[in-house]
mmCIF file of all heavy atoms in Angstrom:
data_model
loop_
_atom_site.group_PDB
_atom_site.id
_atom_site.type_symbol
_atom_site.label_atom_id
_atom_site.label_comp_id
_atom_site.label_asym_id
_atom_site.label_seq_id
_atom_site.Cartn_x
_atom_site.Cartn_y
_atom_site.Cartn_z
ATOM 1 N N MET Y 23 -4.101 100.132 105.727
ATOM 2 C CA MET Y 23 -5.216 99.333 105.853
ATOM 3 C C MET Y 23 -5.940 98.906 104.578
ATOM 4 O O MET Y 23 -6.219 97.781 104.468
ATOM 5 C CB MET Y 23 -6.289 100.123 106.773
ATOM 6 C CG MET Y 23 -7.432 99.224 107.168
ATOM 7 S SD MET Y 23 -7.030 97.839 108.251
ATOM 8 C CE MET Y 23 -8.617 97.070 108.500
ATOM 9 N N LYS Y 24 -6.036 99.837 103.720
ATOM 10 C CA LYS Y 24 -6.667 99.637 102.484
ATOM 11 C C LYS Y 24 -5.748 98.597 101.584
ATOM 12 O O LYS Y 24 -6.307 97.682 101.061
ATOM 13 C CB LYS Y 24 -6.712 100.767 101.598
ATOM 14 C CG LYS Y 24 -7.826 101.732 101.971
ATOM 15 C CD LYS Y 24 -7.979 103.018 101.149
ATOM 16 C CE LYS Y 24 -9.087 103.942 101.592
ATOM 17 N NZ LYS Y 24 -9.088 104.998 100.733
ATOM 18 N N LYS Y 25 -4.432 98.738 101.840
ATOM 19 C CA LYS Y 25 -3.504 97.802 101.147
ATOM 20 C C LYS Y 25 -3.660 96.379 101.683
ATOM 21 O O LYS Y 25 -3.785 95.469 100.948
ATOM 22 C CB LYS Y 25 -2.023 98.306 101.345
ATOM 23 C CG LYS Y 25 -1.147 97.495 100.578
ATOM 24 C CD LYS Y 25 0.353 98.032 100.661
ATOM 25 C CE LYS Y 25 1.248 97.091 99.981
ATOM 26 N NZ LYS Y 25 2.582 97.644 100.045
ATOM 27 N N LEU Y 26 -3.861 96.282 103.024
ATOM 28 C CA LEU Y 26 -3.972 94.958 103.741
ATOM 29 C C LEU Y 26 -5.238 94.369 103.178
ATOM 30 O O LEU Y 26 -5.266 93.025 102.755
ATOM 31 C CB LEU Y 26 -3.978 95.073 105.226
ATOM 32 C CG LEU Y 26 -4.102 93.838 105.967
ATOM 33 C CD1 LEU Y 26 -3.066 92.917 105.625
ATOM 34 C CD2 LEU Y 26 -4.244 94.061 107.447
ATOM 35 N N LEU Y 27 -6.369 95.111 103.154
ATOM 36 C CA LEU Y 27 -7.662 94.574 102.820
ATOM 37 C C LEU Y 27 -7.623 94.101 101.224
ATOM 38 O O LEU Y 27 -8.138 93.002 100.851
ATOM 39 C CB LEU Y 27 -8.705 95.536 102.894
ATOM 40 C CG LEU Y 27 -9.281 95.834 104.430
ATOM 41 C CD1 LEU Y 27 -10.079 96.973 104.477
ATOM 42 C CD2 LEU Y 27 -9.697 94.529 104.969
ATOM 43 N N TYR Y 28 -6.824 94.820 100.506
ATOM 44 C CA TYR Y 28 -6.617 94.589 99.005
ATOM 45 C C TYR Y 28 -5.947 93.202 98.979
ATOM 46 O O TYR Y 28 -6.322 92.342 98.186
ATOM 47 C CB TYR Y 28 -5.861 95.599 98.403
ATOM 48 C CG TYR Y 28 -5.617 95.369 96.990
ATOM 49 C CD1 TYR Y 28 -6.625 95.656 95.950
ATOM 50 C CD2 TYR Y 28 -4.304 94.807 96.523
ATOM 51 C CE1 TYR Y 28 -6.306 95.313 94.648
ATOM 52 C CE2 TYR Y 28 -4.062 94.630 95.275
ATOM 53 C CZ TYR Y 28 -4.975 94.868 94.224
ATOM 54 O OH TYR Y 28 -4.771 94.553 92.984
ATOM 55 N N ASN Y 29 -4.920 92.925 99.718
ATOM 56 C CA ASN Y 29 -4.267 91.750 99.628
ATOM 57 C C ASN Y 29 -5.116 90.541 100.107
ATOM 58 O O ASN Y 29 -5.033 89.518 99.475
ATOM 59 C CB ASN Y 29 -2.885 91.847 100.498
ATOM 60 C CG ASN Y 29 -1.892 92.780 99.814
ATOM 61 O OD1 ASN Y 29 -1.893 92.964 98.667
ATOM 62 N ND2 ASN Y 29 -0.907 93.271 100.695
ATOM 63 N N ILE Y 30 -5.874 90.785 101.038
ATOM 64 C CA ILE Y 30 -6.781 89.775 101.536
ATOM 65 C C ILE Y 30 -7.765 89.397 100.486
ATOM 66 O O ILE Y 30 -8.028 88.203 100.150
ATOM 67 C CB ILE Y 30 -7.437 90.085 102.887
ATOM 68 C CG1 ILE Y 30 -6.406 90.256 103.980
ATOM 69 C CG2 ILE Y 30 -8.537 89.141 103.256
ATOM 70 C CD1 ILE Y 30 -6.949 90.745 105.327
#
Side-chain angles (χ1 to χ4, degrees):
M23 184 66 177
K24 289 182 179 180
K25 184 176 181 180
L26 179 60
L27 291 174
Y28 177 80
N29 289 338
I30 292 173

